[in-house]
Amino acid sequence: MRHVILILLSFLLTICSGATCAWALGEESFGNQPLNAANFQDWPGIVPVVNHESRVYHQWVNGNEYCFYRGNNESLNDVLKKFAATDEKVHEVVLRPGPAVVDSFNKSKTIHYHWNLHLVGGIAKMMTKKDQGANIWSKHPILTIYVGGNIQLDKIKIPKGVTILELADLEKRYSKGLKSTDTTVRGWSNGQLARLDPYNESNMKAIARLLGDDDKWVRLNAVGALAIFGKKAEPLLPTLQETLNTDDQQLKTRVKETIKKIEDAKDKTKAEKEHQEMVSKISQFRKSLAK
């Protein structure tokens, strides 16, 4: 079933909690009913990937588009083969630790998935032309695989012509976004970097530095992004408390919300250990492909 609605959503849709909101035209569909091929002419050959039978959810917001898939290694390898066969000059595949979930627009449904396809077109494509924008909104389709559970790392078959990326590669790209001269890019980069690895202290500190940004929207997004780190962000509580010394009620409210989320966050020591172990395995897997 497809829903096309005018929604009030975060600029950092599915990426950053606590972002500034704006009205946007959004479309979502559940299941794997084929999407109109005419909507994907900017990416020749991508339709077999978009409409793969393993797709369980699709969302589009002003050209920022995601397809979400659920399956096993067999269906994933079929998608990889089709992805590598597209006419794109660049075929990037990200391997990162799972599991992965996404909420529907009204948050009435939580969808579990194993990989997603990200396409940037329409209005969103304009962001690639801003300073450091292409590091946040890729000009080429990107397939992201969440390793673990149904997806066994040693059974993933990487086709010729595909470039494998891991978290460290994306961290470098997103970190450049934090230094963009464009406020939208800087603001969005906060959430991208936080969601990429909520256990990375270096990324957390880089985001915290934007609490002093000259732009209010960037500061709001930096505050919201810090909540994603949970208990990891406890050392930043004094800094956040100092940020409450402002006449800006919107910022003050956001800071209070983030402080509460950090204070109430559960201990994720076990999850962090499992995450780091998988990051290491992915890195080793990537190195083995180069031999």
Side-chain angles (χ1 to χ4, degrees), residues 17-223:
S17 63
T20 300
C21 293
W23 287 101
L25 184 63
E27 173 181 327
E28 65 179 355
S29 60
F30 301 88
N32 59 4
Q33 182 178 350
L35 300 176
N36 192 336
N39 294 331
F40 301 95
Q41 294 181 11
D42 287 347
W43 308 279
I46 201 68
V47 173
V49 179
V50 170
N51 286 332
H52 195 269
E53 61 184 4
S54 59
R55 197 186 74 238
V56 293
Y57 179 57
H58 163 260
Q59 63 176 212
W60 176 99
V61 180
N62 287 346
N64 196 34
E65 188 162 14
Y66 285 89
C67 294
F68 301 88
Y69 306 83
R70 187 163 59 235
N72 53 24
N73 279 86
E74 183 179 359
S75 55
L76 169 61
N77 288 333
D78 186 46
V79 168
L80 281 167
K81 184 177 180 180
K82 289 177 169 59
F83 182 72
T86 66
D87 295 337
E88 292 291 327
K89 294 181 180 179
V90 177
H91 299 86
E92 292 185 330
V93 172
V94 179
L95 296 180
R96 57 182 298 176
V101 298
V102 61
D103 289 330
S104 60
F105 286 157
N106 62 8
K107 298 187 182 299
S108 63
K109 295 183 180 181
T110 297
I111 299 97
H112 294 261
Y113 66 97
H114 298 119
W115 63 91
N116 70 46
L117 174 69
H118 185 204
L119 303 170
V120 179
I123 297 175
K125 194 173 184 178
M126 296 172 57
M127 301 306 300
T128 65
K129 300 178 181 180
K130 295 182 178 293
D131 180 46
Q132 303 301 329
N135 283 311
I136 308 301
W137 294 271
S138 176
K139 296 180 180 180
H140 305 280
I142 289 187
L143 191 70
T144 300
I145 301 169
Y146 291 80
V147 182
N150 277 26
I151 305 302
Q152 299 178 46
L153 187 60
D154 60 351
K155 292 185 178 181
I156 297 177
K157 298 179 180 179
I158 305 299
K160 183 179 180 180
V162 167
T163 299
I164 295 298
L165 303 178
E166 48 190 308
L167 293 186
D169 299 302
L170 295 185
E171 285 170 4
K172 292 178 182 178
R173 293 183 183 182
Y174 297 167
S175 294
K176 291 179 180 179
L178 293 180
K179 300 177 182 178
S180 172
T181 57
D182 183 84
T183 56
T184 302
V185 176
R186 286 206 308 280
W188 193 299
S189 299
N190 285 289
Q192 289 279 53
L193 196 56
R195 286 292 186 195
L196 186 65
D197 188 348
Y199 306 110
N200 190 303
E201 187 174 341
S202 177
N203 292 345
M204 182 182 70
K205 290 180 178 179
I207 292 170
R209 285 194 284 272
L210 290 187
L211 292 175
D213 194 273
D214 293 335
D215 185 81
K216 172 184 174 179
W217 191 79
V218 175
R219 294 196 300 273
L220 282 168
N221 283 287
V223 172

